[in-house]
């Protein structure tokens, strides 16, 4: 196949979003509009090294967003139109014989569309442009076809320049193109700015190329939804919902049940195994992966988590960068933070927070606990209200608890601390030193009962009142 570059036009400002952030860096479907468009190119087999992003407004922010990939940024300053964007990019494209052009603010574009544009070009056209014929008219460029040879496109007329008759044309220019570079470069050199915006229009290259005898073909989009672009935050919300639904439907097709999918938000890179169930309001973010048979309870939010098979997350959990082993159960209202490692079969209950800790196989912490920088052995029971005091105001310290140890309710475990296997910590203890294996550790004030004390106090209070 011929050397193909992908050009993403992203220099515009997006005034109607009323934002300090450039339009293409706003998010829909769990990633930026620009990232969505770049993913369509990548999924169609166009490598990042052959990808060019034309940036202008807030170019440094766009550059920073693109930096982690091998794609290159071309600065268009000032921004004098879509044709000008290509004129500015042209010197960087000498190594290529053909290009794909996409708009950075049109994130619904699919990899299939990119592949089809390329395939139609390679079938012998000089230019191919995606078109759509939606039911509702839009202020998009209109497609003019040759009367005698209707497969030939002869021009795109912008909405503001269209005659009343041309405005009746329902076939619209989507803004996704494939060009053979040579004829495009010639046409770019002939562009003028005789239009209401005084800009160089990429769309004007079509008539110029057609007049020069180029073969220009339309690719009617099978799903016109791809022409949805983003101009304001209402459209942003609509496209977000659409992309979320696409992701949810992909998961459902793979065997995941999703209840009330309109309330569920799953990021693009999330994967879930067969027979997982997502209850209403669930969010799966970032690189989260679920094994088979996991159930995620209502309103739980998982970010960059790995769950093995058969994990149950009850409602209202917040899990971040945690690994949960097979058959473990957490929630409701559990919070797992970075490097929480929950071994298979462990159970964590309501208002239990775990950070940088390993909870051993079958261990339990069912109520109201903080476990930080702790290694907790298999089948340990952590009583309600147990706190690892891992921070001395200056440094963090570790706690280790051997397997099958029982930690009574409301224990305060002052780190650094080691409690050996099979020990027993009495409820309400403050534990500051090591506990040997199998020992009972008691660290609390001894209880004193004073018989008749209450009645004696009442009597005393009465006599002092009378006394005045
Ligand atoms: C453009 C097309 C129109 C098509 C529509 C589809 C032109 C002249 N018109 O109109 O036929 O129906 O898209 O959405 O191309 N950009 C730059 N540099 C610039 C100007 C724009 O990079 O100097 C970028 C924008 O950031 C945007 C894209 O190009 O991502 C399209 O520009 P925009 O001004 O939105 O074009 P439309 O008026 O929507
Ligand atoms: Ca636009």
């Amino acid at each position: 196949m011929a050397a193909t570059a992908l050009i993403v036009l992203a220099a515009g400002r997006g005034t109607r979003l009323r934002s300090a952030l450039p339009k293409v860096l706003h998010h829909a479907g769990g990633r930026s509009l620009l990232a969505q468009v770049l993913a369509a190119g990548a999924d169609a087999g166009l490598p990042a090294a052959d990808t060019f992003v034309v940036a202008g407004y807030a170019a440094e922010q766009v550059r920073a967003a693109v930096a982690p990939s091998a794609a290159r940024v071309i600065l268009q300053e000032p921004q004098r139109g879509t044709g000008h964007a290509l004129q500015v990019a042209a010197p960087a494209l000498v190594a290529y014989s053909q290009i794909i052009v996409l708009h950075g603010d049109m994130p619904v574009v699919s990899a299939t569309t990119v592949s089809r544009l390329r395939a139609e070009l390679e079938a012998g056209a000089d230019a191919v442009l995606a078109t759509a014929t939606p039911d509702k008219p839009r202020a998009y460029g209109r497609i003019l076809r040759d009367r005698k040879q209707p497969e030939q496109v002869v021009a795109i007329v912008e909405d503001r320049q269209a005659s009343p008759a041309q405005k009746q044309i329902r076939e619209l220019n989507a803004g996704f193109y494939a060009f053979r570079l040579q004829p495009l470069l010639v046409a770019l050199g002939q562009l003028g700015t005789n239009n209401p915006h005084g800009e160089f229009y990429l769309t004007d290259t079509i008539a110029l190329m057609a007049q020069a005898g180029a073969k220009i073909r339309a690719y009617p989009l099978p799903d016109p939804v791809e022409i949805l672009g983003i101009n304001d935050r209402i459209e942003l919300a609509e496209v977000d919902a659409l992309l979320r639904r696409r992701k949810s439907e992909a998961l459902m097709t793979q065997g995941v049940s999703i209840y009330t999918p309109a309330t569920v938000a799953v990021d693009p890179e999330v994967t879930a195994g067969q027979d997982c169930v997502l209850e209403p309001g669930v969010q799966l973010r970032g690189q989260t992966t679920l094994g088979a048979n996991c159930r995620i309870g209502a309103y739980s939010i998982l970010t960059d988590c790995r769950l093995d098979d058969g994990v149950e997350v009850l409602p209202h959990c917040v899990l971040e960068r945690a690994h949960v082993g097979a058959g473990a159960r957490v929630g409701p209202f559990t919070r797992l933070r970075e490097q929480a490692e929950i071994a298979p079969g462990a159970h964590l209950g309501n208002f239990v927070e775990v950070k940088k800790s390993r909870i051993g196989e079958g261990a339990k912490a069912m109520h109201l606990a903080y476990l930080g920088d702790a290694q907790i052995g298999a089948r340990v029971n952590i009583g309600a209200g147990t706190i690892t005091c891992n921070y001395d105001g200056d440094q963090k310290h570790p706690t280790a608890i051997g397997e099958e140890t029982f930690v009574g309710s409301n224990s305060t475990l002052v780190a650094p601390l080691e409690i050996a296997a099979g020990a027993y910590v009495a409820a309400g203890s403050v534990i500051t030193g090591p506990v040997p294996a199998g020992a009972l550790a008691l660290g609390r004030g001894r209880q004193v009962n004073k018989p008749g004390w209450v009645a004696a106090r009442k009597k005393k209070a009465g006599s002092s009142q009378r006394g005045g």
Side-chain angles (χ1 to χ4, degrees):
M1 276 190 281
T4 308
L6 170 64
I7 322 295
V8 179
L9 304 184
R13 173 167 186 177
T15 316
R16 280 181 282 162
L17 267 86
R18 296 179 187 273
S19 176
L21 198 65
K23 173 157 66 171
V24 294
L25 297 188
H26 280 261
H27 280 224
R31 58 186 165 194
S32 73
L33 308 183
L34 181 57
Q36 295 281 5
V37 175
L38 291 173
D43 292 347
L46 297 171
D50 296 322
T51 298
F52 300 82
V53 176
V54 179
Y57 176 75
E60 287 319 304
Q61 288 182 60
V62 175
R63 195 185 290 281
V66 172
S69 90
R72 278 165 278 178
V73 171
I74 294 170
L75 187 64
Q76 184 200 10
E77 189 60 67
Q79 297 92 47
R80 302 187 59 199
T82 48
H84 181 244
L86 265 293
Q87 289 171 347
V88 170
L93 304 176
V94 287
Y96 301 93
S97 58
Q98 56 188 38
I99 63 170
I100 305 285
V101 178
L102 303 176
H103 289 188
D105 63 351
M106 300 185 63
V108 192
V109 63
S110 68
T112 308
T113 294
V114 176
S115 299
R116 287 299 306 272
L117 288 171
R118 186 178 180 181
E120 305 257 330
L121 192 77
E122 288 174 355
D126 295 298
V128 184
L129 43 107
T131 70
T133 309
D135 301 331
K136 206 175 92 189
R138 287 170 175 270
Y140 279 31
R142 307 297 202 281
I143 303 296
L144 269 55
R145 290 174 179 261
D146 189 87
R147 274 181 220 284
K148 295 199 188 103
Q149 249 193 299
E151 67 278 16
Q152 169 76 353
V153 176
V154 293
I156 300 171
V157 183
E158 288 304 302
D159 184 67
R160 287 181 64 176
Q161 289 162 286
S163 67
Q166 286 168 336
K167 287 214 187 208
Q168 299 304 311
I169 297 173
R170 291 180 50 237
E171 189 178 18
L172 307 180
N173 173 35
F176 315 136
Y177 316 85
F179 293 102
R180 279 212 310 116
L181 195 60
Q182 229 27 58
L184 175 67
L185 290 177
V186 173
L188 286 172
Q190 298 167 350
L191 282 181
T193 57
N194 183 18
N195 56 57
H197 289 110
E199 290 186 342
F200 296 98
Y201 284 169
L202 178 58
T203 43
D204 285 346
T205 61
I206 299 299
L208 291 165
M209 289 172 71
Q211 282 151 26
K215 184 170 161 184
I216 301 171
R217 294 291 179 260
Y219 166 61
L221 290 165
D223 190 351
V225 78
E226 291 192 34
I227 69 163
L228 288 180
I230 283 162
N231 295 300
D232 57 36
R233 298 201 195 223
I234 295 166
E235 289 171 346
L236 186 68
E238 283 166 6
V239 168
D240 177 63
L242 177 87
L243 295 173
R244 295 296 192 187
R245 195 175 66 223
R246 232 191 220 178
K247 176 69 183 181
S248 288
E249 285 175 1
L251 288 177
M252 290 190 266
T253 309
Q254 290 159 24
V256 174
S257 289
I258 303 183
Y259 296 105
T260 54
T263 67
V264 168
V266 181
D267 282 359
E269 286 165 41
V270 169
T271 61
Q274 199 174 314
D275 290 318
C276 283
V277 176
L278 309 183
E279 295 181 5
V282 164
Q283 293 187 36
L284 303 179
R285 298 180 178 167
Q287 315 281 324
T288 295
T289 63
L290 310 185
N293 276 307
C294 292
R295 186 178 190 98
I296 312 299
Y299 304 102
S300 289
I301 302 173
L302 279 61
T303 306
D304 297 328
C305 287
R306 184 156 61 91
L307 272 53
D308 296 340
D309 293 349
V311 169
E312 189 173 6
V313 176
L314 295 168
H316 297 287
C317 291
V318 179
L319 316 185
E320 193 173 347
R321 286 186 281 160
H323 174 210
V324 185
R329 192 174 78 211
V330 305
F333 297 102
T334 299
R335 177 161 185 222
L336 302 183
R337 294 165 53 199
E338 74 275 12
Q339 293 171 47
E341 180 73 33
I342 314 304
H347 286 183
L348 301 175
N350 40 278
F351 306 106
V352 172
E353 175 181 348
V354 178
K355 183 217 76 170
K356 278 194 185 167
S357 294
R358 181 172 198 283
I359 311 298
E361 282 190 37
K364 288 184 184 169
M366 296 305 289
H367 335 265
L368 304 158
Y370 172 63
L371 304 169
D373 303 291
Q375 296 293 316
I376 293 175
R379 296 173 302 285
V380 164
N381 187 89
I382 301 286
T386 297
I387 304 291
T388 54
C389 306
N390 60 331
Y391 186 51
D392 61 12
D394 184 34
Q395 286 181 38
K396 300 280 171 68
H397 299 283
T399 298
I401 303 179
E403 58 183 48
E404 300 196 353
T405 283
F406 180 93
V407 177
S409 293
N410 210 30
S411 292
T412 301
L413 309 178
V414 181
L417 182 64
E418 275 186 50
I419 302 176
Y424 203 106
V425 173
S429 291
V430 177
I431 302 296
T432 56
V435 180
L440 167 68
L442 268 156
R444 63 189 186 205
R446 198 175 277 279
Q447 182 175 333
V448 177
N449 293 340
K450 299 189 174 178
W453 181 88
V454 176
R457 184 179 71 152
K458 277 190 184 147
K459 205 171 154 195
K460 196 173 157 199
S463 67
S464 69
Q465 247 173 29
R466 269 197 305 279

